[in-house]
Amino acid sequence: QVQLVESGGGLVQAGASLRLSCAASGRTFGSYNMGWYRQAPGKEREFVASISRSGDLTYNLDSVKGRFTIARDNAKNTVYLQMNSLKPEDTAVYYCAASTGWGKITDDYGINYWGKGTLVTVSS
């Protein structure tokens, strides 16, 4: 069992930066590929970014490339999402996700564990 707890969300103006963190419980954090999803009001949840177990592979949604960076620290059981140049359309609840399959982490159905989410609101 893995528990994921997100933090770092908040209200910011367009152009600002935020760093989200996701702390994982348990001693198996390094066994999971990690990712971030988001769900905007009235929209379906969508994949944002992922990072492989060792951190050597990352993958981002096209609309956040060059602005968002995912990273992990296996010694601290934590995954991060650095978000720069935020836009109002980035407003959403951001969820941390863990998956045993690198090829599955971009799909809701491939997620083994979810966090409860943290709200990011970007004002114009």
Side-chain angles (χ1 to χ4, degrees):
Q1 187 78 8
V2 175
Q3 291 186 327
L4 304 174
V5 180
E6 303 94 337
S7 61
L11 171 63
V12 296
Q13 290 188 332
S17 297
L18 277 177
R19 188 177 79 157
L20 305 183
S21 298
C22 171
S25 66
R27 292 176 285 182
T28 60
F29 178 72
S31 301
Y32 291 92
N33 302 287
M34 300 299 297
W36 289 94
Y37 279 70
R38 67 185 180 186
Q39 187 167 21
K43 295 187 177 181
E44 293 187 353
R45 185 161 52 190
E46 66 174 353
F47 166 82
V48 175
S50 59
I51 188 165
S52 59
R53 295 179 182 87
S54 63
D56 60 336
L57 296 174
T58 62
Y59 183 69
N60 289 356
L61 180 69
D62 282 348
S63 62
V64 307
K65 284 181 180 177
R67 299 190 300 122
F68 291 10
T69 303
I70 188 170
R72 68 188 294 164
D73 186 337
N74 285 350
K76 295 182 178 179
N77 282 12
T78 302
V79 61
Y80 305 97
L81 185 68
Q82 178 67 44
M83 305 186 295
N84 299 328
S85 302
L86 282 162
K87 303 176 181 180
E89 52 263 43
D90 295 318
T91 294
V93 176
Y94 283 72
Y95 297 91
C96 182
S99 175
T100 54
W102 175 246
K104 298 178 181 179
I105 198 163
T106 56
D107 189 328
D108 271 23
Y109 296 102
I111 301 303
N112 299 97
Y113 299 102
W114 292 99
K116 293 185 177 180
T118 185
L119 177 62
V120 173
T121 304
V122 184
S123 64
S124 57

